[in-house]
Structures are given as structure tokens and as C-alpha cells.
Amino acid sequence: MTDPWVALAADTDPGERMGALRRAHEVFTSAGRLERPVRTVVGESWLRSARAHVSPDGAPVVEFGADELGPYREAHPLARAMPVIRELMGAYATDGEHLLAVCDAHGRLLWVEGHAAARRRAGAMNFVEGARWAESVAGTNAPGTAIAVDRPVQVFAAEHFLRPVQQWTCAAAPLHDPHTGRVLGAVDITGGDRLAHPHSLAFVQAVARAVESQLALLAPAVADGGSVRLSALGRDEALLVAGDRRIRLSRRHSEILVALARRPEGLSGDELLIELYEDESVPPVTLRAELSRLRRLLGPDLLHSRPYRLGVPVDADFDTVARRLGSGAVAAALGAYAGPLLPGSRAPGVVRLRHRIADELRAALIARGDPGLLADWAYSPWGEEDLAVWRALAGAAPAERRAALLARVRGLDAEQGC
């Protein structure tokens, strides 16, 4: 195998490999042992699926009803790319008796289109709009695994972790925001054995590149009015996108930009000192030196003084989360949350804002009680030890998953001495 992300080489017999994979799947699900001919990417995914307590005989659940799905996907960034996806994949899916699917960054299927008979068959395993196919709930599958590893991947037959899915073959590629690099979701082609060919993976890769190019054209780096974008969630060094400039900021400059983005009216030097420094004895000259370096980096049009303020509107990712929470769009808020705000920062203003955003979001998730949304938080790096969320997830999850989740709750309870 020359490409580890391709399920079958061109000269491989599909029937023979399918039989070998089924035997390997049975060994893994019964004894937890990986055997040949399981590819590394698949074996690692099976291990993640087992750690998430995915039942190989289970099925994904539909998390979005029609009333919630419509508004959510209409507001999703990938909605603007659907005409291009349909143009490139629609006829191929229909003529080949395949399905095209697009999911969000949490593996929720937002669009499933294609051959009518294939859609009916896929409905039996809940491969439908509104269902979540993330690895943590659906095991190894092309869209869920592509998001998990952030790589295009093909999954053939019994490489799927769920037995009801093993009659299908699929290939998917992650889709990224062309300016921030954040994963927005994945595009997938799903069908029968005819997709078990290297060309299907190359096809979805080409579609993904076309989608990202289209998004770059539809959402240029600077919005009308000269605004800039600031991404500070889930990263210690913020990213500022202004025009064709992508500026990776130092930690201190990141903290300054976060403070100023929150206060468009500006801050005095004394106010900035309070926001940025734990040590109250830090002299004002230290801050002035940092601001001078930042002004040279950004230019005088972006950073003004007296008071210190940003010269253009800033679209900050943490403000997006707060706005969506304020409007009650909990799923959309979670979709925009890439992790804690500047997680390594100890600046008092950043720490307060970091805790406020996370606490308000997790409180909204617990109040909503949606098992899919709770699982998105619980299985994230920042949620893996969040006892309150794991308790809420154990109470909201389907009965077949509850025992495993309660075991996790007991383990966290013992570790944290609660």
C-alpha cells in the first residue's frame, strides 16, 4: 500500500480484503487485539472508538430535529459552499448510486443528498441529516475520522467500527476556514464497493480544495468597512487576519489585542496594566514598550493611542461565542468554540474572560441536556475532566451507553475527591 489513507490499492481484490477485515474486526471487538491487514489509521481509530465506549452494534442518533437543523445549517459557513459541492458531486453521486454528505466540525450531518435508493438504505443506519457521525459516537467512518485526524481518509467495508455500516465504503476530506485554518466540517462520498478505489479519495480531496477556494472568494480576509478577524480560542498565540496579512501574535500581544477587542472605546494605560499584569508593581514603561512593538507590527492604522484602541472593527471568535449564547443558539455557540481563550495566559483580564465564556457555555450545555452537545464538550481536551458535564451526559445519554459513562463519572469523582 503506497498511500496509507487509501483503503485499497488498485490491484487489491475487494472481496478477499473484505473477508480479512471482518475477521480482524471480530478479533478486535471480542479480544481488543489489532491484527493484519488493518491499516494504521483504521487501527488507531478503532482504539479511539473503543475508548469512547462505542458499541459495534450501535447506531448514531439524530440530534437535530427539522426545526433546529434548518436554522443551524442556514447559518453555517459551509452553506455558502453547497452550490459548488452540488455542482461537483451531485451528478456523480446520483449516477453512481452514491450519496454526498457534508457535516459540521462535530460530525453532525447537515446535508445528505444523492441517489434516492441509496438514501433509503442509508436511512436504516441513521446516515441522515441531523445525525451525528463523530468518531466518539459512530466509531470509525470517513467523515468522523477525517475530522478526528484532520486528513482526507477512505474507509472500506469492515474498516467501519459499526457493523451495520460495513456494507458501505466512503471517502471524506476535512473542510477548513481558508483564513483561520479552523476545521469547519467535512465533505463525504458514500456508496458501495465501486468507491473502493484510490480515485474516490482523490475526488473528495479535489472537492475540498474547490470548496475552500470558494469560501476564500465569498469571505475575503477583510470584511466591508475594513474589519479584521481575531482568533484567540484554543490557542496560546492569537491569529490576526487583516487583508492579506496573517499575523501570529506573541502571547503578550495576544493579551493586549483581546483586551482592546473587548473594549472598542479604548483603555487608558492604567486600565491596560490592570488587565494584563498580575504584578501590580509593573511600571507603565514596560507596557508602553510592548505597545510600541505591537504598533510597529500592526501599523498605526490598526492601533491607536490616547486612549489605546483598535482603529477598525474586530470580529473576535470569543465575541461570536458570546453573541450566539446570548441569542440562545447553544449548538452554534459550541460550534464556534475552539477551546479556552489563550489557555496559557495568566493576564487577569484574560483569565476572567476565559472562565466566563467557558462557564456560560458549559452551563448552557448542561441546561439544554442534549447528549450530543454534552458529548462534544466531554470528549474535548478541555472537557475530559469536567465532572459536571460528564454527570449531565450520563443522565442524558441512551441507556446502552449509560453504564460506561457512569463508570467515567465514578472515576472522575474519585480522582477529584468530590
Side-chain angles (χ1 to χ4, degrees):
M1 185 74 64
T2 58
D3 186 344
W5 305 95
V6 173
L8 293 180
D11 58 352
T12 301
D13 178 74
E16 181 179 335
R17 187 168 181 83
M18 187 181 302
L21 285 168
R22 282 178 176 160
R23 290 189 292 273
H25 184 270
E26 289 305 314
V27 169
F28 180 80
T29 54
S30 61
R33 188 173 68 251
L34 286 169
E35 295 188 345
R36 297 181 65 184
V38 179
R39 292 180 290 150
T40 299
V41 62
V42 173
E44 291 174 348
S45 177
W46 283 4
L47 289 168
R48 289 193 298 271
S49 303
R51 285 196 295 268
H53 303 290
V54 177
S55 168
D57 295 309
V61 296
V62 177
E63 295 184 352
F64 281 161
D67 57 337
E68 192 172 14
L69 174 64
Y72 177 81
R73 68 180 183 181
E74 184 177 323
H76 197 277
L78 292 177
R80 295 171 293 177
M82 282 308 297
V84 169
I85 293 173
R86 292 185 179 109
E87 180 180 354
L88 295 174
M89 301 180 69
Y92 178 82
T94 301
D95 295 346
E97 300 184 13
H98 307 316
L99 298 175
L100 74 86
V102 177
C103 69
D104 68 5
H106 299 288
R108 290 181 289 250
L109 299 180
L110 304 184
W111 292 272
V112 179
E113 303 175 3
H115 193 271
R119 290 189 68 178
R120 287 193 294 271
R121 288 176 53 223
M125 60 178 186
N126 271 354
F127 194 82
V128 295
E129 294 172 348
R132 191 158 75 110
W133 280 71
E135 267 194 355
S136 59
V137 294
T140 307
N141 69 93
T145 301
I147 291 171
V149 300
D150 198 13
R151 285 287 305 268
V153 64
Q154 187 180 56
V155 178
F156 168 68
E159 290 183 331
H160 288 94
F161 193 76
L162 299 185
R163 292 189 181 94
V165 190
Q166 292 180 350
Q167 60 184 307
W168 299 84
T169 293
C170 48
L175 300 170
H176 302 88
D177 184 301
H179 303 300
T180 68
R182 182 169 65 92
V183 174
L184 298 175
V187 60
D188 168 82
I189 188 78
T190 288
D193 293 348
R194 281 179 291 176
L195 287 179
H197 193 284
H199 290 169
S200 66
L201 185 62
F203 176 53
V204 293
Q205 287 179 282
V207 171
R209 287 193 294 269
V211 167
E212 290 170 358
S213 297
Q214 179 71 0
L215 290 175
L217 292 173
L218 293 174
V222 174
D224 293 342
S227 68
V228 299
R229 276 196 296 278
L230 178 67
S231 300
L233 293 174
R235 54 172 73 219
D236 284 324
E237 296 180 332
L239 177 68
L240 187 75
V241 178
D244 58 357
R245 301 173 66 202
R246 293 170 56 87
I247 305 168
R248 184 173 177 175
L249 302 164
S250 69
R251 179 173 295 183
R252 182 61 77 193
H253 289 169
S254 299
E255 293 165 346
I256 293 172
L257 263 291
V258 167
L260 295 179
R262 290 183 61 209
R263 297 281 295 275
E265 74 278 11
L267 292 167
S268 69
D270 288 342
E271 289 172 325
L272 259 180
L273 278 171
I274 293 171
E275 289 286 306
L276 298 175
Y277 294 99
E278 296 177 283
D279 185 354
E280 296 181 1
S281 66
V282 173
V285 67
T286 300
L287 175 60
R288 287 198 294 270
E290 288 288 0
L291 287 163
S292 179
R293 286 189 285 269
L294 181 57
R295 185 179 290 108
R296 287 197 297 271
L297 178 65
L298 302 182
D301 292 338
L302 282 182
L303 181 58
H304 296 176
S305 58
R306 298 181 183 176
Y308 295 112
R309 65 195 187 281
L310 296 173
V312 296
V314 172
D315 180 14
D317 55 358
F318 50 88
D319 280 338
T320 298
V321 173
R323 286 196 304 272
R324 292 179 178 178
L325 275 178
S327 66
V330 179
L334 182 60
Y337 187 76
L341 175 70
L342 300 180
S345 172
R346 297 175 64 183
V350 172
V351 171
R352 287 193 299 271
L353 182 59
R354 180 196 305 145
H355 289 323
R356 192 183 81 196
I357 293 170
D359 290 348
E360 290 180 356
L361 180 53
R362 64 195 290 276
L365 294 172
I366 292 171
R368 173 69 65 89
D370 183 303
L373 299 180
L374 289 165
D376 286 338
W377 183 278
Y379 287 107
S380 70
W382 53 87
E384 58 187 5
E385 296 184 358
D386 192 328
L387 180 56
V389 170
W390 280 96
R391 280 179 173 151
L393 176 58
E400 64 270 16
R401 298 195 63 211
R402 199 161 295 151
L405 292 170
L406 287 172
R408 174 65 173 159
V409 168
R410 287 192 294 271
L412 286 174
D413 199 29
E415 292 172 11
Q416 297 177 16
C418 299

